[in-house]
Amino acid sequence: MQIPVIAQTTGLLILSNVFMTIAWYGHLKNLAGKAWWIAAFISWGIALFEYLLQVPANRIGYTAYSLAQLKILQEVITLSVFVPFAMLYMGQPFRLDYLWAGICLIGAVYFIFRN
């Protein structure tokens, strides 16, 4: 059974974004008392796993989708991963701006994927 390109691409990008979000923002909570360069090295180590998932995701996705479509898909996934991370892990309150940004991204998806 062949997994559809959109499912492969989206799944890999979601996993990639989990690593990316932890690498980019997790140190703000976990390593706040450490020197910045320690946080940078740890983040680079985490980001390696992001790239090991992101590069194949984009290669697979590019067989069926345009570069612009891949970028918009990435942005939607980024916000979808970031908002729960910010609220659940970092303890940030929900803001209506998250909703408005999501609605704007739905518009972006519509325009970039319509034919």
Side-chain angles (χ1 to χ4, degrees), residues 3 15 19 22 26 28-29 34 42 51 63 68 88 95 115:
I3 299 172
L15 292 172
F19 284 105
I22 292 168
L28 297 174
K29 180 177 181 178
K34 303 286 184 191
I42 291 171
Y51 279 94
T63 64
L88 299 173
R95 296 181 45 193
N115 287 328

Side-chain angles (χ1 to χ4, degrees), residues 5-76:
V5 170
I6 191 67
Q8 292 179 58
T9 302
T10 302
L12 287 169
L13 286 175
I14 289 169
L15 292 172
S16 168
N17 267 272
V18 168
F19 284 105
M20 177 193 75
T21 302
I22 292 168
W24 284 19
Y25 303 106
H27 64 87
L28 297 174
K29 180 177 181 178
N30 299 326
L31 301 171
K34 303 286 184 191
W36 72 266
W37 58 270
I38 293 172
F41 280 115
I42 291 171
S43 292
W44 285 341
I46 295 168
L48 171 64
F49 295 100
E50 174 210 349
Y51 279 94
L52 291 174
L53 295 164
Q54 178 264 0
V55 170
N58 283 325
R59 285 179 166 242
I60 292 166
Y62 197 61
T63 64
Y65 300 101
S66 71
L67 188 62
Q69 288 172 323
L70 287 172
K71 182 59 182 170
I72 294 298
L73 179 61
Q74 170 68 31
E75 294 304 327
V76 169

